[in-house]
Amino acid sequence: MTNVDARGLSCPEPLLMLKKAIKQDTEGKITLLRSSQNALNNCKRYAETNGYAVNVIGDNEDNYTLELTKG
């Protein structure tokens, strides 16, 4: 499983990190830690476009975990 920690980073950096992780993914599972609602939506949309199912877990208003699984 690939883990991407994008907490505290501004757009578009989290999305760029996710794109890189998707290109390198061989197991079909990625976990993305994120702290911005805008980046969350962009990353979720990008992952789904690339064939990943996305489970969003909200720790609170500022911290999210996206669990991506290749479908």
Side-chain angles (χ1 to χ4, degrees), residues 1-4 18 20-32 47 50-55 66-71:
M1 177 184 297
T2 302
N3 294 306
V4 179
L18 177 60
K20 182 179 178 180
I22 285 176
K23 281 184 182 182
Q24 297 175 347
D25 181 38
T26 58
E27 297 178 26
K29 290 187 177 260
I30 299 171
T31 299
L32 173 69
N50 283 276
Y52 286 82
V54 180
N55 181 32
L66 279 72
E67 295 176 338
L68 287 62
T69 307
K70 187 74 170 178

Side-chain angles (χ1 to χ4, degrees), residues 4-71:
V4 179
D5 188 349
R7 292 175 289 186
L9 301 175
S10 299
C11 284
E13 199 164 354
L15 183 57
L16 295 174
M17 292 172 71
L18 177 60
K19 285 181 180 184
K20 182 179 178 180
I22 285 176
K23 281 184 182 182
Q24 297 175 347
D25 181 38
T26 58
E27 297 178 26
K29 290 187 177 260
I30 299 171
T31 299
L32 173 69
L33 302 175
R34 188 62 210 121
S35 59
S36 161
Q37 182 68 38
N38 288 338
L40 169 78
N41 294 333
N42 292 337
C43 290
K44 182 176 186 276
R45 206 170 20 253
Y46 183 80
E48 290 172 339
T49 300
N50 283 276
Y52 286 82
V54 180
N55 181 32
V56 178
I57 301 166
D59 300 315
N60 61 44
E61 291 183 16
D62 294 326
N63 290 303
Y64 300 93
T65 301
L66 279 72
E67 295 176 338
L68 287 62
T69 307
K70 187 74 170 178

